[in-house]
Amino acid sequence: MKRNLFALLSLLVLASMLLAACGGAPEATEAAPAETEAPAATEEAAATEEAPMGPVGTEPIAFPDGGKSVTGAFDQEPDAVVPYFTQMSYAIWTTQLTLAGLGEWDAEGNFIPELAAELPSADNGGVSADGLTITWKLKEGLYWSDGEPLTSADVKFTWEFVMDPGNAVSTRSGYDKIESIETPDDTTVIIKFAELFPPWPTLFTQGPNNTGAIVPMHILEGVTAAESDPFTRHPTVGSGPFVITEWVPGDYMTLLPNPNFYKGRAVLDRIQIRFVADSAAALAALQTGDVDFYPNFSEGDIATLESLSPDVVLTVDPGSNFEHYFFNMGRTEGVDGRGAADNEGFCPFKDVRVRKAIALGIDRQAIVENLLAGKTDVSVSQWPNSSWTNTNLTVDAYDPEGAAALLDEAGYTLGADGIRAGECNGEQVKLSFNFETTTAPIRIDIATAAQADLAKIGVEFTPIHTPAGTFFGQYVDGGPLTTGNYDMGGYTTGFYPDPYYDGYKCENIPTAGNPSGTNWYHLCDPALSDLLESSLATVDPAARKAIYDEAQAYIAENYYVIMMYSRANVIGSTPRFQFGESGGYSHIFWQAETWDITE
C-alpha cells in the first residue's frame, strides 16, 4: 500500500507539542521510534555501538585482497557532495554514503536518530511548549573520518556556513528561520527559532530528498565562496560509513570504509561507482555482472527487469516523487512589488488558457501505458501517494479538441506552417518554444511523444536534452532552471518528508541578488505564495492539511505545472548484492554500512 509514514509521525510529534502546552504529552515511544542498530560485521563494529574512547584511525580502511566490494552505476556524475550546493539526486545519494545528519528516515518512512542520541520531543524536553526551541543531544564519542571530534560546534557551524552570504548555497529554507543556536557542551545543540517552523525535523538531517548533513568546522571554517572550494564537490573527510578516496571525472569513484563511523566499520571493504552514459548502459552492465546495482530505472523498465530474473533482481519502492512539466512564469516587473525575475518567461504562458491547452494536448495516459508499461499513474497532486494528497481532485483526460478550442479562444490561430500565432502584450508571437530536460532515455522518449501530440493542436514544442550536471546547475554556474533561461522544463521532484515547499514563494525566485532561490518556476502568485507560507503558522495537522488541500486545488486550477506521472524508486541489482531494506523516503543508501555480498 502506498503511504507516507513520516506524515503520520509528524502528526504524533506535533500532537506532543500541543499536549505539552496543555500540561501533558504522549509517551516518547509514540513520537520517537527506537534507533535501529546495524548488524555488527566485526568485533570492532560491535564494540563501537557504545561510545568509543577515541578515534580508531585517521585513514580510510584499505581495500584488502579478496575483500568485499560492490560496483554501482550512476548515469549522472555528482556536481557536489556537500549537499547544500546541489539539487541532484545522484549527488545526495553520494552524500548519504559519506556525510551524516542528526537524523534520517528508515525504510518504513520513520524518522530515526543518526548522529543524535534521540529525537527531540515534548516528552524528553527536546521540544519546548511553544514549539520555538528544539534541543538535540548528540551521541557521545563522535569523530570525523580524520579522527577530529564531531561535536555540537559542528552543528552550529553548519548553520553559520549555510547562512553565510558569501556561500552560494542552493537553499537556506528553514535555516533562515533560526534566531540562534547555543552549544552549552559538546553534545547539546539548542536551536531557537524566530518563528514557528513545523518542518524543523528536515533541518540538519539527511535523506534522499533532504539535504541537511553536518559539515566539518575544522575543514571549512574561514572558507568563503564554498561553492568553488574543492571540498564541496569532493569531501575528503566525512562522517558517513564511507569516504571518497578516488574520483576520476567521467570514469569512476572509489569509496572505502570510514574508520571512525559511529556504528563501526562497514561490512563492505569498498564501493566503486562507475559513471555510465545512461540507464541502457547500466542495464547492459548489470546483465554482464560488471556492476551490481543501478538505482534509477524508470517504470518503463520494470517489465524488462522482471524478464531478466533471477540474474537481475528488481526492487520497486513507491514514493511521493513525480515527473512534471512546468512553465517559466518569470516577470521582470514582478507582481505587486514582489517576485521580480531576471528573465521574462514566454509571453503566451501568462494566459491560463494556453497552459491548460498544453496540458490537455499531451496524452499523458498513453505515455504511462506505452512508455511506462502501465506501472504508474498520472497524478493531479504535487503531493502524491501521501496523507497530504487532495483526493477530491481529478486528472484531466486527453482532450485535443478542447485544447484547440482554448487556443482559438485565446486568439492563437493556425498558420500556413501548421503553427498557431497570435498577439501577446501587443506583439505577434508563435506558439513555438523550447522544452528543456535531461538526457535520460525515458525523458527523450516522453518528450518526443509530447512533441507529436502538441503538433496536432498547432503547438511547436522543441525538446532540448542537456546533461544533468548542466541542467541542474546552480545560479552561479548559469544553470538554465535557476537563471530562468528556459521556456518549459521537466524533471522529477517531490515535497517530502515534510509537505512544506518554498519553491512557490515570490521571494524565492532566483536572481542575481538571490542566487539561492528555490522557485525554479520563476512564478510569483502572491495568493499561492502566502497560502503555502501560512502552513508554517500552525502545528495543527488538520489545519495544515486543509491549507495543502487548498493549495493543490489552486495549482491545478491555474495549470502552473503539468503532472506527468508518479515516480517510484526502481532499482536493479545482481543477486550477490544484499542492500537490505529500502523505501521511498530512504532509498537503498540509508544504511550502506550494512551492505553485503554473497558469492
Side-chain angles (χ1 to χ4, degrees):
M1 180 177 68
K2 297 178 179 179
R3 53 187 176 175
N4 182 329
L5 292 180
F6 179 72
L8 299 179
L9 174 64
S10 296
L11 305 188
L12 294 173
V13 173
L14 295 171
S16 75
M17 293 165 59
L18 293 172
L19 288 171
C22 299
E27 294 296 322
T29 53
E30 293 183 4
E35 179 185 359
T36 57
E37 293 184 358
T42 63
E43 292 182 5
E44 175 189 5
T48 53
E49 285 296 328
E50 297 182 0
M53 297 301 294
V56 174
T58 60
E59 295 294 332
I61 300 170
F63 177 59
D65 292 338
K68 294 182 176 183
S69 177
V70 300
T71 301
F74 281 10
D75 59 340
Q76 295 179 20
E77 188 166 356
D79 55 353
V81 176
V82 173
Y84 302 102
F85 300 93
T86 182
Q87 296 286 337
M88 184 191 294
S89 293
Y90 287 85
I92 301 306
W93 295 336
T94 308
T95 305
Q96 286 184 276
L97 296 173
T98 56
L99 293 169
L102 298 180
E104 64 179 342
W105 283 265
D106 69 12
E108 296 299 319
N110 299 308
F111 187 37
I112 62 172
E114 194 172 15
L115 297 176
E118 61 182 351
L119 296 181
S121 69
D123 189 62
N124 63 23
V127 179
S128 64
D130 61 6
L132 294 177
T133 302
I134 308 298
T135 301
W136 288 91
K137 295 291 291 186
L138 299 182
K139 290 180 170 68
E140 298 281 350
L142 296 174
Y143 294 91
W144 293 99
S145 60
D146 63 357
E148 288 293 318
L150 193 166
T151 72
S152 58
D154 291 294
V155 181
K156 182 177 181 179
F157 172 76
T158 298
W159 171 58
E160 295 169 341
F161 178 79
V162 171
M163 294 304 299
D164 183 346
N167 295 329
V169 297
S170 60
T171 179
R172 295 185 173 90
S173 179
Y175 296 96
D176 58 0
K177 307 287 187 183
I178 296 173
E179 183 176 83
S180 66
I181 294 183
E182 299 174 5
T183 55
D185 56 57
D186 284 349
T187 61
T188 303
V189 181
I190 303 173
I191 304 172
K192 296 185 177 181
F193 286 87
E195 58 190 83
L196 202 62
F197 189 68
W200 61 262
T202 63
L203 305 181
F204 306 104
T205 55
Q206 185 61 41
N209 201 51
N210 198 60
T211 55
I214 307 305
V215 298
M217 181 174 69
H218 70 286
I219 299 292
L220 292 172
E221 189 172 26
V223 172
T224 57
E227 65 277 3
S228 302
D229 191 89
F231 189 90
T232 296
R233 182 171 189 268
H234 177 180
T236 52
V237 172
S239 54
F242 292 90
V243 180
I244 301 170
T245 59
E246 186 180 21
W247 190 335
V248 179
D251 195 356
Y252 67 90
M253 173 196 297
T254 301
L255 302 96
L256 298 181
N258 173 1
N260 294 311
F261 183 54
Y262 73 94
K263 287 186 179 180
R265 187 193 192 281
V267 175
L268 290 178
D269 297 302
R270 181 179 70 175
I271 297 174
Q272 191 166 81
I273 303 296
R274 285 178 50 192
F275 304 126
V276 299
D278 51 36
S279 58
L283 179 60
L286 264 180
Q287 290 178 271
T288 60
D290 290 332
V291 302
D292 293 295
F293 70 93
Y294 174 71
N296 196 35
F297 284 109
S298 79
E299 287 75 3
D301 297 315
I302 289 176
T304 298
L305 293 167
E306 288 175 335
S307 72
L308 297 174
S309 178
D311 298 320
V312 174
V313 178
L314 168 67
T315 302
V316 180
D317 294 323
S320 295
N321 284 320
F322 55 86
E323 182 83 358
H324 69 325
Y325 284 6
F326 50 89
F327 309 92
N328 180 352
M329 299 294 293
R331 293 174 180 264
T332 55
E333 77 279 9
V335 179
D336 297 334
R338 300 170 64 182
D342 284 349
N343 292 296
E344 192 78 14
F346 186 53
C347 183
F349 292 161
K350 296 175 183 178
D351 189 330
V352 66
R353 294 169 297 184
V354 174
R355 301 195 299 270
K356 181 176 181 179
I358 293 171
L360 297 180
I362 300 175
D363 194 346
R364 293 173 288 168
Q365 188 59 41
I367 288 171
V368 165
E369 293 171 359
N370 298 329
L371 298 178
L372 301 170
K375 297 294 186 178
T376 183
D377 53 34
V378 179
S379 171
V380 68
S381 167
Q382 288 188 277
W383 287 263
N385 302 326
S386 77
S387 62
W388 301 99
T389 305
N390 184 339
T391 56
N392 294 320
L393 303 179
T394 57
V395 178
D396 288 321
Y398 176 52
D399 184 5
E401 292 80 12
L406 282 168
L407 294 177
D408 287 338
E409 181 183 324
Y412 294 95
T413 57
L414 279 174
D417 58 0
I419 303 172
R420 289 177 179 267
E423 187 176 290
C424 188
N425 282 354
E427 296 182 3
Q428 283 295 117
V429 62
K430 284 188 174 184
L431 289 186
S432 175
F433 50 85
N434 293 333
F435 167 78
E436 301 218 20
T437 189
T438 71
T439 56
I442 189 62
R443 291 200 172 112
I444 293 173
D445 292 343
I446 291 175
T448 300
Q451 181 181 36
D453 285 342
L454 292 174
K456 297 173 185 175
I457 61 170
V459 172
E460 186 175 49
F461 171 97
T462 303
I464 296 175
H465 298 283
T466 304
T470 301
F471 179 73
F472 290 112
Q474 299 304 300
Y475 190 97
V476 293
D477 301 317
L481 298 181
T482 52
T483 59
N485 286 305
Y486 73 95
D487 295 329
M488 279 186 70
Y491 64 95
T492 290
T493 190
F495 308 148
Y496 65 92
D498 187 273
Y500 174 66
Y501 175 61
D502 67 356
Y504 282 112
K505 189 174 180 180
C506 290
E507 290 70 24
N508 279 354
I509 292 175
T511 63
N514 180 34
S516 298
T518 54
N519 185 342
W520 289 4
Y521 307 127
H522 298 260
L523 166 69
C524 180
D525 181 332
L528 178 60
S529 177
D530 295 345
L531 175 63
L532 287 169
E533 285 301 293
S534 72
S535 72
L536 300 180
T538 177
V539 297
D540 178 9
R544 294 189 81 201
K545 177 66 166 65
I547 291 168
Y548 286 106
D549 278 354
E550 184 179 349
Q552 289 168 68
Y554 191 88
I555 292 167
E557 290 165 2
N558 284 279
Y559 292 88
Y560 285 139
V561 300
I562 302 173
M563 297 296 292
M564 298 300 287
Y565 58 95
S566 301
R567 288 290 311 269
N569 296 333
V570 182
I571 305 150
S573 60
T574 58
R576 72 186 288 271
F577 178 38
Q578 305 297 309
F579 56 79
E581 294 182 315
S582 61
Y585 280 16
S586 64
H587 215 294
I588 66 173
F589 301 96
W590 73 284
Q591 53 174 2
E593 68 275 6
T594 70
W595 287 2
D596 204 351
I597 59 171
T598 57
E599 299 291 358

